[in-house]
Amino acid sequence: MECTVSWTGDAGTRSAMGFVAETGSGHVLMMDGAPDASKPENGGQNLAARPMETVLAGTGGCTAYDVVLILKRGRHRVERCSVKLTSERAEKDPKVFTKIHMHFTVAGKGIPASAVERAVALSHETYCSASIMLAKMAQITTSFELVET
């Protein structure tokens, strides 16, 4: 797996702290820094997600993928799945994640709560590389709700 991240600030773009990531699979992801009121030339323009937000989003994608796949392999009728991640970060640099909570909402027909609980646990403990990596630094907790459709 590879990714090239390039600063776009020297390319005449609106943001002094914009970046474009080109993934090995051929996709592009834009990122931008937060505006800096005290030194605008060092801040972004809020034109795209912050880099740390993309870490959180990638982790959510990784674990939601696992949960859906585990439930489908169990022959459960999953119709929707989302995960809301909330986090806390250290106050001083490096501002690593210290706490992450993942709340899953799974919708489908006749899915037992125990199956969702198992899928979330398997993702969190065995399959999701991103959350397992982040758990080495941050306390990660999970919860879920099941919606019958």
Side-chain angles (χ1 to χ4, degrees), residues 15-35:
S15 178
M17 292 306 287
F19 296 85
V20 61
E22 298 176 61
T23 67
S25 60
H27 298 279
V28 174
L29 172 68
M30 302 301 297
M31 294 176 279
D32 194 14

Side-chain angles (χ1 to χ4, degrees), residues 53 55-65 67 80-88 97 99-106 120 124 131 139-145:
E53 288 174 325
V55 171
L56 207 56
T59 303
C62 184
T63 191
Y65 180 98
V67 169
R80 290 187 312 278
C81 177
S82 64
V83 58
K84 180 178 182 176
L85 292 90
T86 53
S87 66
E88 293 179 21
F97 291 115
K99 293 182 181 179
I100 299 171
H101 182 73
M102 301 178 186
H103 181 75
F104 294 82
T105 302
V106 176
V120 169
H124 181 68
S131 66
Q139 174 191 5
I140 298 180
T141 57
T142 61
S143 60
F144 72 90
E145 63 184 287

Side-chain angles (χ1 to χ4, degrees), residues 7-18 32 40-41 43-48:
W7 176 51
T8 61
D10 63 346
T13 59
R14 284 180 36 200
S15 178
M17 292 306 287
D32 194 14
E41 67 277 8
Q45 296 293 312
N46 200 31
L47 299 175

Side-chain angles (χ1 to χ4, degrees), residues 113-149:
S114 60
V116 176
E117 183 175 28
R118 179 180 175 273
V120 169
L122 281 170
S123 175
H124 181 68
E125 297 166 6
T126 306
Y127 295 112
C128 180
S129 304
S131 66
I132 291 168
M133 182 173 50
L134 286 175
K136 295 185 183 308
M137 183 67 64
Q139 174 191 5
I140 298 180
T141 57
T142 61
S143 60
F144 72 90
E145 63 184 287
L146 184 55
V147 177
E148 184 67 27
T149 58

